[in-house]
């Protein structure tokens, strides 16, 4: 089944109103007219209003990098899915490796956040991936399968069919070791088989599974040539409009 590729930029904790304006203006010059691929940027909470205003009616979607598992209440510093939906977010990154490693986010929290995103009509980009230690110990399969099974537990089939999964090989980010197309494709194939076992072949065939791990213009074509890879979750390169546009174009 043909799946529309999604290239999503994750700005992480970068940006200012001035630099955002320049970046978005340049992206809108570089990206219009691109066919067969969807483009999105996931930005820090304070800039959602600015981004929503600038990108409304354009070919670029927007989203957030995190969400609270709670709908409302006395949770100081948290941001609910309903709040994100008010800004027109299409996507919400859930369970990013930095959230898991730096802030102790668990698979069970990821599952609750996924459901919260769906309740408000948005699409979660669910991140999974193994560390260097886990890969070297041969624990890639149980780790990734465990994250998928726990993080997507309890979803209805139609919800599962709509999700985006991002495979982040944590061991290939800032370690000097690079994931090959074969590395990524093997694990992404594993993810799709896991989804098929959970939700059936129909739902699994529609899920878009991205690759995320030091994605750059110099390696994007190789990754996108693999039939199992349906796009990319892009970190640092998404802050450079020329690089990000090249990645969206797979050049």
């Amino acid at each position: 089944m043909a799946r529309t590729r999604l290239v999503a930029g994750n700005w992480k904790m970068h940006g200012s109103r001035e630099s955002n304006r320049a970046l978005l203006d340049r992206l809108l010059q570089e990206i219009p007219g691109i066919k067969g691929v969807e483009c999105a940027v996931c930005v820090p909470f304070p800039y959602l209003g600015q981004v929503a205003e600038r990108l409304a009616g354009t070919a670029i979607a927007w989203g957030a990098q995190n969400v609270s598992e709670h709908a409302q209440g006395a949770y100081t510093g948290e941001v609910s899915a309903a709040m994100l939906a008010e800004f027109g977010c299409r996507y919400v990154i859930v369970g990013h490796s930095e959230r898991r490693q730096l802030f102790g986010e668990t698979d069970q929290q990821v599952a609750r956040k996924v459901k919260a995103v769906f309740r408000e009509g948005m699409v979660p980009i669910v991140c999974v991936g193994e560390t260097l230690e886990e890969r070297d110990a041969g624990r890639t399969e149980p780790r990734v399968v465990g994250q998928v099974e726990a993080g997507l537990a309890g979803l209805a089939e139609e919800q599962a069919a709509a999700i985006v999964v991002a495979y982040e090989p944590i061991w290939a980010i800032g370690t000097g070791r690079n994931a090959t197309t074969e590395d990524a494709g093997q694990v992404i194939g594993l993810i799709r088989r896991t989804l098929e076992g959970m939700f059936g072949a129909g739902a699994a065939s529609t899920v878009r599974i991205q690759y995320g791990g030091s994605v750059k213009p110099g390696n994007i074509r190789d990754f996108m040539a693999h039939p199992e890879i349906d796009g990319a979750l892009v970190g640092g390169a998404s802050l450079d409009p020329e690089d990000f546009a090249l990645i969206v174009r797979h050049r």
Side-chain angles (χ1 to χ4, degrees):
M1 179 176 187
R3 297 180 292 268
T4 301
R5 288 172 171 166
L6 170 64
V7 176
N10 175 13
W11 290 6
K12 304 192 179 185
M13 198 173 71
H14 296 287
S16 67
R17 289 189 65 84
E18 183 176 353
S19 66
N20 297 346
R21 186 179 302 111
L23 174 57
L24 294 171
D25 286 350
R26 189 60 183 271
L27 280 179
L28 289 170
Q29 293 173 6
E30 296 281 348
I31 288 178
I34 294 176
K35 306 290 187 182
V37 60
E38 186 180 356
C39 177
V41 292
C42 294
V43 309
F45 293 139
Y47 301 130
L48 282 171
Q50 179 189 21
V51 171
E53 182 178 355
R54 186 67 187 90
L55 296 182
T58 74
I60 304 176
W62 61 93
Q65 301 170 11
N66 189 27
V67 66
S68 176
E69 63 196 89
H70 306 289
Q72 63 178 11
Y75 302 104
T76 301
E78 291 288 272
V79 176
S80 74
M83 294 172 183
L84 299 180
E86 281 200 310
F87 283 98
C89 289
R90 184 179 303 171
Y91 297 103
V92 183
I93 297 174
V94 179
H96 190 277
S97 60
E98 291 160 5
R99 297 299 312 175
R100 295 176 187 265
Q101 291 187 302
L102 300 178
F103 301 98
E105 198 163 292
T106 67
D107 291 335
Q108 290 69 39
Q109 285 178 294
V110 169
R112 293 191 291 269
K113 290 183 177 191
V114 167
K115 293 182 179 68
V117 171
F118 272 127
R119 279 196 299 270
E120 296 300 330
M122 299 174 292
V123 177
I125 299 176
V126 184
C127 299
V128 299
E130 79 280 27
T131 66
L132 180 61
E133 292 76 16
E134 288 166 338
R135 184 170 186 84
D136 285 346
R139 298 202 304 271
T140 293
E141 181 168 341
R143 178 58 172 154
V144 172
V145 169
Q147 287 176 325
V148 172
E149 291 180 340
L152 305 184
L155 292 184
E157 183 178 334
E158 60 271 20
Q159 291 176 316
I163 64 170
V164 177
V165 177
Y167 169 55
E168 298 180 282
I170 303 167
W171 54 271
I173 303 173
T175 63
R177 292 175 58 169
N178 296 318
T180 66
T181 303
E182 291 71 25
D183 291 331
Q186 183 178 32
V187 179
I188 287 173
L190 171 66
I191 292 169
R192 199 173 302 281
R193 292 192 298 275
T194 303
L195 293 169
E196 183 174 349
M198 295 175 69
F199 303 108
S205 70
T206 69
V207 173
R208 292 181 288 181
I209 307 179
Q210 300 173 305
Y211 171 75
S214 299
V215 177
K216 298 177 176 63
N219 61 26
I220 186 65
R221 290 184 70 179
D222 289 340
F223 286 116
M224 292 303 99
H226 196 289
E228 285 284 8
I229 300 177
D230 303 318
L233 183 61
V234 185
S238 69
L239 299 171
D240 182 307
E242 288 81 8
D243 280 357
F244 190 55
L246 288 171
I247 292 169
V248 173
R249 295 189 185 104
H250 311 336
R251 292 179 181 170

